[in-house]
Amino acid sequence: MGQGLWRVARNQHLQQEAYSEPGYLSREHSRRVTSNNITHSGHRKQAQGGIDLYHLLKARKSKEQEGFINLEMLPPELSFTILSYLNATDLCLASCVWQDLANDELLWQGLCKSTWGHCSIYNKNPPLGFSFRKLYMQLDEGSLTFNANPEEGVSYFMSKGILDDSPKEIAKFIFCTRTLNWKKLRIYLDERRDVLDDLVTLHNFRNQFLPNALREFFRHIHAPEERGEYLETLITKFSHRFCACNPDLMRELGLSPDAVYVLCYSLILLSIDLTSPHVKNKMSKREFIRNTRRAAQNISEDFVGHLYDNIYLIGHVAA
């Protein structure tokens, strides 16, 4: 027992002497320096050619380089990737610091096409002095004008050569743009039925369940707040387009455009019934099936039941 305690005490004493010796400290310091040098050289090897990214990142810690990295010192591909995440306002501010980078045409072209997916001018040879930054400003100005007065907005786009005077081109512009006020757009489409026709044909409802297709349709072409002639026109055009996109399904279910029209109206009424807080006695699934099959007798009970389940679980088709 005494010998065991003596060995433990002797080992502890030797360990303390070993760690306190200058030779141990110098060896440990040398090992750490060697390890750091290897790590740093590995970082420098990763930045092949051009700027030494390791020294650039280390420079941030110095007092002279505090704050954001100077993008002009980075590889151009990396700088453009960083700037591509900015919106138009932030990109204009960035151009005050990095003028050559932030005014690059590819960045402004991406902003234009991500906001306004289709313009006639995209498919033309650009005129002399054309720039996508200037085009962005014109598109933004035209959208604001459209949201105040749709006719003046469309006239503005045509006067600047952004849109051709064609119902199909206007329909494509509306279909690919999300900055237009939906209330003003509804008024414009009610007056321009030729544009509405081309806008409906841009939708592809192939292999979509009827309520989901109706939701997508009303997401692009907002339904009026009250029933009337315009709503009937929208449902009629949707019914014909849905049947044209799903001919095999229509033959299998024995549905016609008139039958789809009846189903769409039934879905809208069911949506109001199930989602409105003013309706206390909600329509049951059995009542919906009975009422719908009374209007369209060739429709199977299972199919109508699936329609009810979709509205009950997902919600309004025209919200």
Side-chain angles (χ1 to χ4, degrees):
M1 183 67 178
Q3 291 180 354
L5 293 175
W6 178 81
R7 288 194 187 96
V8 171
R10 183 171 63 87
N11 291 337
Q12 290 179 350
H13 179 71
L14 290 175
Q15 288 177 1
Q16 290 176 359
E17 289 182 349
Y19 281 103
S20 62
E21 287 178 358
Y24 172 81
L25 295 177
S26 61
R27 289 195 305 271
E28 181 66 13
H29 176 73
S30 176
R31 184 185 64 81
R32 292 181 179 178
V33 169
T34 304
S35 176
N36 289 336
N37 289 337
I38 293 173
T39 304
H40 296 168
S41 63
H43 285 303
R44 285 195 289 270
K45 288 180 181 179
Q46 291 177 0
Q48 296 178 354
I51 304 298
D52 191 333
L53 292 181
Y54 171 74
H55 285 300
L56 182 62
L57 294 174
K58 289 285 288 183
R60 292 187 62 191
K61 298 182 180 180
S62 64
K63 294 182 179 180
E64 297 80 12
Q65 299 263 345
E66 286 183 353
F68 196 78
I69 298 175
N70 187 357
L71 295 183
E72 293 179 346
M73 299 180 66
L74 296 176
E77 296 83 0
L78 182 57
S79 300
F80 288 138
T81 302
I82 294 172
L83 292 175
S84 66
Y85 288 97
L86 302 181
N87 57 29
T89 303
D90 292 336
L91 196 57
C92 287
L93 294 175
S95 65
C96 299
V97 182
W98 305 289
Q99 185 173 2
D100 293 338
L101 289 173
N103 287 331
D104 188 83
E105 281 292 276
L106 288 177
L107 293 175
W108 287 98
Q109 180 182 2
L111 280 175
C112 288
K113 292 189 175 182
S114 63
T115 309
W116 299 274
H118 175 83
C119 293
S120 304
I121 197 172
Y122 293 161
N123 303 319
K124 298 179 181 178
N125 293 325
L128 186 64
F130 172 83
S131 73
F132 276 100
R133 178 172 180 169
K134 180 181 178 181
L135 176 62
Y136 185 96
M137 304 304 173
Q138 292 175 340
L139 286 167
D140 189 54
E141 178 68 22
S143 297
L144 293 175
T145 305
F146 183 96
N147 293 338
N149 188 313
E151 287 291 343
E152 292 183 6
V154 173
S155 299
Y156 176 87
F157 288 131
M158 293 178 182
S159 66
K160 299 297 182 181
I162 298 174
L163 277 181
D164 293 339
D165 188 5
S166 163
K168 190 172 184 179
E169 285 297 301
I170 298 174
K172 287 182 179 180
F173 175 79
I174 293 173
F175 185 78
C176 299
T177 302
R178 297 293 177 267
T179 59
L180 305 179
N181 182 275
W182 64 271
K183 291 184 178 180
K184 297 295 183 179
L185 182 59
R186 186 176 63 195
I187 296 173
Y188 179 77
L189 293 176
D190 192 14
E191 296 174 352
R192 290 292 304 269
R193 297 298 175 91
D194 54 344
V195 177
L196 177 61
D197 290 338
D198 287 316
L199 184 59
V200 172
T201 58
L202 293 174
H203 290 82
N204 183 12
F205 302 124
R206 184 171 180 79
N207 296 328
Q208 290 193 32
F209 194 36
L210 180 60
N212 297 333
L214 197 58
R215 287 190 188 93
E216 180 183 336
F217 180 74
F218 284 133
R219 195 175 295 121
H220 287 95
I221 307 174
H222 289 270
E225 297 175 356
E226 298 179 357
R227 278 184 275 178
E229 187 268 338
Y230 181 58
L231 178 60
E232 294 178 0
T233 300
L234 290 181
I235 298 177
T236 300
K237 293 182 181 298
F238 168 82
S239 302
H240 284 84
R241 181 60 183 167
F242 184 82
C243 292
C245 293
N246 299 281
D248 297 335
L249 179 64
M250 296 301 101
R251 284 194 296 269
E252 179 182 347
L253 298 177
L255 297 178
S256 64
D258 292 336
V260 175
Y261 178 91
V262 172
L263 291 176
C264 290
Y265 246 117
S266 299
L267 290 172
I268 293 174
L269 295 176
L270 177 64
S271 299
I272 297 173
D273 185 275
L274 294 181
T275 59
S276 175
H278 304 292
V279 180
K280 295 182 179 180
N281 298 322
K282 305 296 184 183
M283 184 183 300
S284 66
K285 185 175 183 179
R286 180 176 297 179
E287 291 174 333
F288 177 74
I289 294 174
R290 183 180 65 249
N291 296 338
T292 304
R293 296 195 67 196
R294 187 179 299 167
Q297 299 178 357
N298 295 331
I299 304 174
S300 68
E301 182 175 337
D302 290 339
F303 181 74
V304 179
H306 292 320
L307 297 178
Y308 182 93
D309 294 337
N310 183 280
I311 303 300
Y312 184 84
L313 294 173
I314 299 179
H316 208 302
V317 292

